[in-house]
């Protein structure tokens, strides 16, 4: 039971980090109609900025601020130089150009920082474990990530529904020509949305890098998971991204923790371990396939988008 | 002969010529590079069928490349150990005969393409890109977590498989096999795209509702194209496994999908010889830039960016001019 709660919290924390990635991707797709493979590179930029600044100044918090700033800046620069030429192109050009950006970012980072992983130390304020009701010891930092993820989800909800920028974002999703005709500077709006998505990805990179390690190529597996999240949740929907991220985080974590054990009650334990972990590693893709069969446009996607 | 046809002929002559000149000079390494280019071109020809002619941006073709490779590696390793691959529903023994391996590699990748295609083609546009990518990733993780065939370490099989009448260990003879299959695939795609099926496939890319209006179901046409494409790429994977005598999950990784896509786009999307030009250029760049800097992929990335932004027709488009479709 304890183990179940602990794994559920792990799944929740994983899901929150996936949400930070997926929210940016889905906003960029919803507003600009752009598929951005380089989103994982921005995640990596955030992690490296945090590691470099935290290493130089000794302050994790400065590092975290640097991750937001560096990823947003990298996002804005890339949008101005490359991405904005791609809005009118088809998806094929977008895929290839952003794939090329990944190569540039990865090799550039390897050139600057080398191939060895960097490690971040937790700030004293958030290190250690807390005892939850029921006696479960759980790392405080992971708990903070869950809280932060929930806060950002709520903040994004307020931003999109209550602010002027949010109104423009929603208007841009609905009809970009009309928004431009009404006098909104579409080019600036696009840069802002792209930088916002990049900052969220960079923050996720710094936070996950603190739990795991900071290395070149760290963004790519997360990027593909974020795609799975978006396909499940529905492209362009931030709510869908949240629900999809939590579903994927939970399914993956709980599947890996419990599937081999459950199978071992049914079949030979050593075979159960092999088969169980193999199935657990593909469980989220099975989930995605299931959603595609029932609702090809995703849980919160609009008909006609798919 | 149009300019593009002349260029196509020149490309194929360049591929064969490189290998022959290298053979005369005793440069075995260059022959291996040419072989690699021929195999990559074959994979590109397969992808081009859906990407170029069908307008379906599949980012998951590494799945079929890797499955073709794994089929080859698994059959070869079972032939060596003498244990049958499967005993139910019928006994399937390992093999080191290319002529026996190819059909199985093609069948395995074709079946996977049928299943993945059937699900992915329910979606379109950007969903299709993400879904194909995700399914390929699923097979990648299966290969990593399945320990029987090497898991993360991959699977070596030491001895290159055999082809009747040829010594496959001789680089130039193995090159001849690969170049022959590339030529056959180019011929097949040329015939296919001119057939009723090819016309319907291209029409579905240009205007889906008109295709529906004349009574053709785009879904079936696309699924067939997706399966054929997967089979060609699977064959390329089988040859690639034989070239290295090694298969690993890297063949299934999404970087591989991206690279196959790069061969097609670098050369020219939807042009018969586009993948040949792209694969040749890619291998040449890898070889030349790799000598300049360890970070050659960054240079490759910048070059790709320039091509996408300034020359959307790829290399063939640059030389032969824009095409009138």
């Amino acid at each position: 039971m304890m183990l179940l709660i602990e794994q559920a919290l792990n799944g929740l924390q994983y899901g929150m980090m996936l949400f930070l990635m997926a929210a940016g991707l889905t906003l960029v797709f919803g507003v600009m109609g752009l598929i951005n493979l380089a989103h994982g590179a921005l995640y990596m930029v955030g992690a490296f900025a945090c590691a470099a600044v935290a290493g130089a100044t000794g302050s994790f918090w400065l590092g975290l601020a640097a991750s937001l700033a560096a990823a947003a800046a990298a996002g804005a620069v890339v949008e101005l130089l490359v991405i904005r030429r791609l809005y009118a192109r088809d998806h094929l050009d977008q895929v290839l150009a952003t794939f090329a950006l990944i190569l540039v970012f990865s090799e550039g980072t390897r050139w600057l920082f080398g191939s060895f992983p960097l490690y971040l130390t937790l700030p004293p304020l958030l290190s250690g474990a807390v005892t939850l009701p029921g006696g479960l010891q759980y790392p405080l930092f992971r708990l903070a990530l869950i809280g932060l993820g929930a806060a950002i989800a709520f903040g994004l909800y307020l931003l999109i529904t209550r602010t002027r920028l949010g109104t423009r974002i929603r208007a841009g999703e609905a009809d970009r020509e009309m928004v431009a005709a009404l006098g909104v500077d579409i080019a600036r709006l696009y840069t802002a949305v792209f930088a916002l998505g990049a900052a969220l990805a960079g923050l996720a990179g710094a936070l996950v890098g603190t739990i795991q390690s900071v290395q070149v190529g760290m963004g790519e597996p997360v990027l593909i998971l974020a795609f799975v999240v978006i396909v499940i949740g529905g492209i362009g929907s931030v709510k869908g991204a949240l629900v999809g991220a939590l579903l994927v985080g939970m399914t993956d974590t709980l599947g890996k923790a419990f599937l081999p054990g459950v199978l071992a009650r049914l079949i030979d334990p050593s075979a159960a371990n092999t088969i169980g972990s193999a199935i657990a590693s593909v469980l989220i893709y099975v989930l995605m396939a299931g959603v595609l069969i029932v609702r090809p446009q995703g849980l919160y996607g609009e008909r006609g988008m798919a | 002969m149009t300019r593009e046809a002349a260029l196509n002929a020149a490309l194929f002559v360049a591929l064969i010529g490189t290998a022959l000149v290298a053979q005369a000079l005793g440069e075995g390494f260059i022959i291996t590079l040419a072989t690699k280019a021929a195999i990559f071109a074959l994979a590109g020809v397969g992808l081009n069928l859906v990407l170029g002619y069908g307008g379906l941006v599949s980012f998951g073709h590494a799945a079929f490349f890797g499955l073709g490779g794994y089929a080859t590696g698994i059959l070869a390793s079972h032939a060596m150990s003498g244990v049958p691959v499967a005993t139910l529903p019928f006994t399937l023994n390992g093999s080191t005969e290319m002529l026996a391996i190819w059909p199985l590699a093609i069948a395995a990748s074709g079946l996977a393409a049928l299943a993945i295609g059937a699900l992915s083609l329910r979606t379109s546009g950007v969903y299709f890109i993400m879904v194909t990518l995700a399914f390929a990733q699923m097979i990648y993780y299966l290969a990593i977590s399945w320990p029987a065939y090497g898991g993360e370490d991959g699977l070596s099989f030491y001895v290159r498989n055999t082809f009747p009448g040829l010594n496959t260990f001789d680089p130039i003879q193995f090159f001849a096999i690969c170049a022959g299959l590339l030529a056959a695939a180019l011929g097949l795609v040329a015939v296919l795209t001119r057939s009723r099926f090819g016309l319907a496939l291209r029409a579905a890319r240009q205007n889906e509702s008109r295709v529906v209006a004349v009574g053709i179901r785009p879904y079936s046409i696309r699924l067939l194209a997706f399966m054929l494409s997967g089979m060609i790429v699977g064959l390329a994977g089988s040859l690639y496994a034989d070239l290295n005598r090694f298969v690993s999950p890297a063949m299934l990784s999404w970087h591989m999908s991206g690279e196959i896509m790069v061969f097609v786009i670098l050369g020219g999307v939807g042009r018969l010889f586009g993948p040949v030009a792209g694969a040749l250029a890619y291998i040449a760049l890898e070889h030349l830039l790799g000598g300049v800097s360890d970070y050659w992929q960054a240079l490759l990335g910048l070059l790709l960016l320039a091509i996408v932004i300034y020359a959307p027709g790829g290399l063939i488009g640059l030389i032969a001019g824009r095409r009138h479709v």
Side-chain angles (χ1 to χ4, degrees), chain A residues 27-274:
Chain A
L27 269 181
V28 166
F29 183 80
V31 180
M32 287 97 101
L34 176 99
I35 174 165
N36 178 23
L37 297 181
H39 206 65
L42 298 165
Y43 173 90
M44 178 185 72
V45 167
F48 271 95
C50 182
V53 171
T57 62
S59 162
F60 177 78
W61 304 108
L62 278 180
L64 218 50
S67 75
L68 278 169
V77 169
V78 164
E79 201 274 343
L80 289 171
L81 288 180
V82 180
I83 302 290
R84 80 173 22 183
R85 298 164 193 264
L86 301 172
Y87 295 139
R89 300 288 192 83
D90 59 16
H91 293 315
L92 183 58
D93 284 351
Q94 299 175 350
V95 164
L96 189 70
T98 50
F99 181 73
L101 280 175
I102 294 180
L103 296 180
V104 175
F105 269 105
S106 291
E107 292 304 310
T109 312
R110 202 192 305 279
W111 179 64
L112 278 174
F113 291 93
S115 300
F116 294 103
L118 305 176
Y119 294 94
L120 280 156
T121 35
L122 284 178
L125 184 63
L126 289 179
S127 52
V130 281
T131 310
L132 295 179
L136 174 69
Q137 294 270 326
Y138 197 74
L140 179 59
F141 188 70
R142 283 177 183 261
L143 221 47
L145 291 191
I146 297 175
L148 184 66
I152 289 178
F154 187 63
L156 267 182
Y157 166 75
L158 289 182
L159 174 82
I160 289 172
T161 53
R162 300 288 155 84
T163 67
R164 196 160 194 91
L165 177 65
T167 313
R168 287 179 176 170
I169 289 176
R170 280 180 291 141
E173 282 176 348
D175 189 335
R176 71 192 73 167
E177 280 87 13
M178 186 56 89
V179 181
L182 289 172
V184 174
D185 186 347
I186 275 285
R188 237 174 62 199
L189 174 68
Y190 283 3
T191 312
V193 171
F194 200 84
L196 172 68
L200 289 176
L203 180 66
L207 295 173
V208 175
T210 311
I211 302 180
Q212 296 164 357
S213 66
V214 176
Q215 54 188 322
V216 172
M218 65 187 284
E220 294 163 7
V222 186
L223 172 82
I224 295 169
L225 287 179
F227 280 162
V228 174
V229 165
I230 294 180
V231 170
I232 290 175
I235 297 180
S237 161
V238 176
K239 192 181 12 157
L242 180 62
V243 173
L246 294 180
L247 268 176
V248 168
M250 285 290 187
T251 309
D252 194 54
T253 310
L254 296 182
K256 280 180 178 155
F258 296 112
L259 198 58
V262 171
L263 270 183
R265 297 191 182 169
L266 305 173
I267 52 173
D268 171 51
S270 69
N273 199 17
T274 312

Side-chain angles (χ1 to χ4, degrees), chain B residues 26-83:
Chain B
E27 295 273 359
F29 178 63
I30 305 282
I31 302 178
T32 304
L33 281 185
T35 311
K36 206 171 154 187
I39 294 171
F40 281 167
L42 179 60
V45 168
L47 178 62
N48 200 17
L49 191 60
V50 285
L51 189 75
Y53 298 103
L56 302 166
V57 185
S58 163
F59 206 154
H61 265 51
F64 316 127
F65 193 70
L67 281 174
Y70 265 95
T72 308
I74 288 171
L75 285 169
S77 70
H78 275 278
M80 239 175 302
S81 63
V83 183

Side-chain angles (χ1 to χ4, degrees), chain B residues 292-308:
Chain B
V292 176
S293 158
D294 284 344
Y295 306 104
W296 72 277
Q297 291 219 331
L299 300 175
L300 176 73
L302 291 174
L303 189 78
L304 281 178
L305 272 182
I307 295 236
V308 176

